[in-house]
Amino acid sequence: METFALTLAAILIAGAPLVLATLGETLTEKAGIINLSLDGSILLAAMAAFACSATFDSPWLGMVAGAAVGAAIAGVLGLIGIFLGQSQLAVGFILTLLSRDLAYFLGHKFSRQPGPDLGLWTIPGLGDVPFVGLIFGSQSPVVYLSLTAIFACWWWMYRTEGGMRLRAVGESPRAAFGRGIRVRLVRLYYCLAGGALVGLAGGAYSLAVKPGWGRPQGCEGAGWIALAIVIFGGWHPVRTALGAFFFAALQVSGIHLQELFPSIPAPVFQVAPFPMMILTLLAVNMGRMGWVQDIVRRHPFLKNFSKSWSIEAPAALGQDFDPKKGL
Amino acid sequence: MNRDSLLTQIGWFGLALLLALVLTVIVALPAGAPPLETIYVLFHGGLGSLSKIGRVLAGWVPLTLCSVGLLVPFTARLWNIGVEGQVIMGAIFCTAALRPFEDGGGAGLIVLALGASMLGGALWALLAGLLRVFGRVHEIFSGLGLNFVALGVTLWLIFGPWKRPGVASMSGTQPLDVSLWLPRLGTLSVSWVGLALACAAVLLVYILLHRSTWGLKMRAVGENPKAATLFALGPRRRLLQSFLFCGALAGLAGAAQVLGVYHRLLPNISSGYGYTALMVGMMASFRLGLVPFICLFFAILNVGSIQLPLQLGLDSSLSGVIQGVMVLSLFIVQGLRLWLRQKKEAD
């Protein structure tokens, strides 16, 4: 029981930055913008967060710096992709490579330097509660941050008017425009907000999960996994968060697997999530493939299951909207 | 955009370069990089001596092979982000083909290894293509995932079955016998075989895309996939073909790295050329004529940046920063042109 609780605690902390990044990307994609710059953004934000917290000796200021960097990169994508009409995919991809190199270049000075981290929060009294105490009694603040963010995103998207506008510009920008919503501006806002969350994910890596900065930091590739998890989660904040924890569980179990199979070299386990990513995307998309649909048609009882797989992307995802062209 | 005169186009391009320069200086200053000295070190490090030019050309070969290969899927509007993994797979297949012949061999073996590398790259690309056609997995994700998987396979081989007797380290496998190295061009560290292959690839892609019906159909698929289906141009088949072709060229780039540069399999065998090639493609706006020159420029930056840590104490990733900033500036300038033109039309 104790090992189980400790494993859960390890999954929560390993999943925290992934949750923050996937929620950020979900917000952005719900507004119809694909931000492909996640991987580089996380790395640059991780560097900025560490550099800032080491310079000013304040890890929370570091988190703010990380969020600012994430928002700034997303802002560049927003300006070029939304207002200058260039391909979001191309610009996002370039930004990934650019921010990655920028992180290594600017972070050179801070490489392998000592610096503060966020430490652990101990909630008084909770540690004595069996099981739950082991999980939450003494946890990193980013875990609480990520759990709060899940609820906040869900509530904002589905329970507020702002969230309705967000979904409107992602599903049907023309209709939203007709209702007097300034589509491009709203999209830019969610680009920035999503980028800020992605930046927090970077800060969570360098200040909590794998404290420190160096080349490699250890969070390389996390952004690509996060992008796939958003699809896996069907653009729903709770489902994407579950997906993020699922992948974190894979990573954590990878460490155990390494003990079970000592003959397999350690670096191989680091790439294990990527074939998993491809396989999950394959599984998620199965429902829309012709031959699968044929089978479902022949066996109607399968329909009950197919509903739980089927996911719908925001209808206007990745599409330009130019208000001058009118309705 | 083609209606603009050549002079206007050059003017806009110059503006993009200027913007790139300004942005680079802005991002490089916080790291304490003196602008003029950094530029001097970069170019002197890339072009300062004959042996450095040899190294630039050795980098130009794989970069050009990948970049021109990428033009083919892009003509069908497909993103083959998996080039990096295809380079690695090419290198793995190349090494695998030569492992039984540790004592060396002749030109025949090298040809065999080149063939094997093309096969490896093509198979890896085919996998991404099949996932797209039959699994509806977007090629960006399958390609990226497969890049990391290829890296994992390399690491497994180097630390596992192919490890050097006694030592298993990031320094790679046992070096190949000298008789299996690609012959060098004089005293330069570049092989004439690699140069010839890269030039042949440029020519081949030109003929395929601009002088053959195959290329014409490929373009039709890219411009309008729905119409292409109606006209029975077989978009799916063409997608797979374009991936196979690009993967084979990327695999060849992997062989150039193994046989011509490192003479063994390393974790870093691809040197990131797959990702750089994507930037070259965007920088050239996928125009074949520009690709070899941009590749040359990027190769100079890459070789020159090795001097940065030695002479200025800066990280060598500055070359990647400059490349990224250049492509980004081009996008910004293109967007501004579009915006200005729309504004003019609105008036």
Side-chain angles (χ1 to χ4, degrees):
Chain A
M1 206 55 173
E2 200 184 316
T3 21
F4 182 59
L6 288 176
T7 310
L8 277 185
I11 292 172
L12 279 180
I13 175 72
L18 271 182
V19 168
L20 289 170
T22 48
L23 287 176
E25 183 68 13
T26 308
L27 274 183
T28 311
E29 292 197 7
K30 271 279 181 197
I33 303 293
I34 300 177
N35 184 354
L36 218 52
S37 74
L38 241 56
D39 200 51
S41 293
I42 290 178
L43 204 60
L44 188 58
M47 192 284 293
F50 181 78
C52 190
S53 74
T55 310
F56 299 102
D57 200 34
S58 158
W60 286 104
L61 197 65
M63 287 297 269
V64 174
V69 164
I73 297 169
V76 173
L77 173 81
L79 289 178
I80 305 178
I82 304 172
F83 290 96
L84 294 182
Q86 300 295 301
S87 157
Q88 292 164 17
L89 289 177
V91 174
F93 187 72
I94 287 299
L95 281 172
T96 290
L97 299 181
L98 178 59
S99 355
R100 189 199 58 195
D101 284 325
L102 211 51
Y104 291 139
F105 181 69
L106 296 177
H108 192 59
K109 276 189 288 191
F110 297 95
S111 191
R112 312 284 168 222
Q113 297 282 318
D117 60 54
L118 288 168
L120 296 174
W121 277 1
T122 312
I123 297 177
L126 197 65
D128 303 327
V129 183
F131 197 67
V132 179
L134 282 171
I135 303 175
F136 291 105
S138 182
Q139 257 299 10
S140 169
V142 294
V143 170
Y144 303 112
L145 185 67
S146 66
L147 294 177
T148 319
I150 300 171
F151 174 75
C153 276
W154 168 82
W155 179 77
W156 181 260
M157 270 182 208
Y158 295 103
R159 290 290 180 274
T160 66
E161 207 187 310
M164 206 151 74
R165 287 209 192 96
L166 157 67
R167 285 182 286 145
V169 297
E171 292 292 343
S172 176
R174 280 159 191 275
F177 182 66
R179 299 284 290 182
I181 297 173
R182 300 180 69 180
V183 173
R184 288 177 150 192
L185 213 55
V186 172
R187 284 184 161 182
L188 182 66
Y189 290 154
Y190 282 103
C191 220
L192 290 171
L197 272 174
V198 171
L200 283 179
Y205 272 118
S206 65
L207 296 173
V209 180
K210 290 163 183 162
W213 170 256
R215 179 179 192 172
Q217 202 275 338
C219 60
E220 283 86 354
W224 298 116
I225 296 179
L227 272 164
I229 293 174
V230 174
I231 304 172
F232 175 74
W235 292 271
H236 188 284
V238 178
R239 267 179 71 167
T240 50
L242 286 177
F245 283 126
F246 169 67
F247 270 87
L250 281 178
Q251 280 173 341
V252 171
S253 62
I255 297 164
H256 291 299
L257 285 174
Q258 211 170 307
E259 287 161 7
L260 283 176
F261 303 99
S263 62
I264 299 177
V268 174
F269 286 101
Q270 285 161 13
V271 299
F274 291 98
M276 278 306 298
M277 171 183 98
I278 296 176
L279 288 177
T280 39
L281 285 182
L282 198 60
V284 167
N285 286 318
M286 284 263 273
R288 282 184 285 165
M289 273 143 58
W291 59 273
V292 177
Q293 281 173 347
D294 279 347
I295 297 175
V296 172
R297 225 170 280 134
R298 255 176 274 142
H299 305 279
F301 76 94
L302 283 176
K303 258 192 194 140
N304 303 326
F305 298 102
S306 70
K307 250 183 206 153
S308 59
W309 305 335
S310 64
I311 48 165
E312 291 296 332
L317 185 59
Q319 283 172 19
D320 250 0
F321 177 75
D322 191 349
K324 282 194 209 77
K325 286 179 186 146
L327 295 171
Chain B
M1 288 201 186
N2 294 329
R3 275 178 301 170
D4 285 331
S5 72
L6 190 65
L7 207 64
T8 339
Q9 286 203 27
I10 292 173
W12 282 107
F13 194 69
L15 187 68
L17 286 183
L18 190 70
L19 182 66
L21 192 68
V22 172
L23 287 177
T24 312
V25 170
I26 290 174
V27 297
L29 275 180
L36 286 177
E37 212 179 329
T38 312
I39 293 173
Y40 174 76
V41 170
L42 268 177
F43 282 95
H44 188 74
L47 298 167
S49 68
L50 211 57
S51 81
K52 283 170 182 160
I53 294 175
R55 255 177 283 155
V56 167
L57 288 176
W60 180 79
V61 168
L63 194 53
T64 307
L65 282 170
C66 294
S67 306
V68 295
L70 267 172
L71 294 186
V72 178
F74 190 79
T75 307
R77 292 288 182 274
L78 291 163
W79 281 67
N80 183 9
I81 281 193
V83 199
E84 183 81 8
Q86 289 145 26
V87 174
I88 298 176
M89 263 305 147
I92 290 176
F93 270 58
C94 175
T95 318
L98 293 178
R99 272 186 72 77
F101 309 98
E102 272 177 8
D103 307 329
L109 269 183
I110 292 181
V111 173
L112 173 80
L114 290 177
S117 69
M118 288 174 80
L119 181 72
L123 283 179
W124 211 240
L126 183 67
L127 201 53
L130 288 176
L131 278 166
R132 157 82 190 239
V133 169
F134 294 105
R136 299 188 65 133
V137 178
H138 196 283
E139 71 264 18
I140 286 185
F141 292 110
S142 58
L144 266 165
L146 289 172
N147 288 347
F148 284 99
V149 174
L151 183 64
V153 174
T154 316
L155 290 169
W156 172 66
L157 287 170
I158 288 172
F159 286 94
W162 291 0
K163 68 175 168 219
R164 273 191 283 174
V167 275
S169 72
M170 296 298 267
S171 61
T173 57
Q174 187 80 18
L176 295 170
D177 190 82
V178 186
S179 63
L180 294 173
W181 297 10
L182 286 183
R184 295 197 161 174
L185 184 70
T187 54
L188 297 180
S189 53
V190 62
S191 160
W192 60 264
V193 179
L195 283 174
L197 283 173
C199 294
V202 176
L203 200 65
L204 180 65
V205 170
Y206 171 74
I207 293 170
L208 268 181
L209 286 185
H210 300 286
R211 288 285 175 273
S212 77
T213 6
W214 189 76
L216 189 69
K217 286 175 180 166
M218 194 68 88
R219 192 161 299 137
V221 170
E223 299 289 341
N224 191 342
K226 266 188 195 148
T229 317
L230 292 177
F231 285 110
L233 292 175
R236 288 177 155 197
R237 203 176 64 234
R238 261 165 234 292
L239 182 156
L240 292 177
Q241 284 169 354
S242 70
F243 266 53
L244 274 173
F245 184 82
C246 179
L249 285 188
L252 210 51
Q257 290 287 89
V258 171
L259 300 173
V261 181
Y262 294 112
H263 311 299
R264 74 187 87 172
L265 187 65
L266 292 172
N268 189 29
I269 192 76
S270 69
S271 309
Y273 285 131
Y275 293 126
T276 315
L278 278 155
M279 287 215 266
V280 171
M282 289 185 224
M283 183 83 196
S285 309
F286 295 96
R287 271 172 295 194
L288 180 63
L290 291 176
V291 167
F293 301 101
I294 296 174
C295 286
L296 190 64
F297 181 66
F298 280 18
I300 293 171
L301 283 182
N302 280 345
V303 173
S305 70
I306 299 168
Q307 296 297 321
L308 288 175
L310 306 174
Q311 295 191 15
L312 296 173
L314 298 168
D315 198 274
S316 61
S317 49
L318 181 65
S319 63
V321 174
I322 296 176
Q323 291 161 2
V325 164
M326 283 178 79
V327 184
L328 202 62
S329 307
L330 199 71
F331 277 126
I332 294 174
V333 167
Q334 269 176 8
L336 282 177
R337 276 176 84 176
L338 200 72
W339 182 70
L340 279 178
R341 182 158 0 109
Q342 278 172 354
K343 217 175 161 192
K344 214 188 272 173
E345 276 168 16
D347 289 343

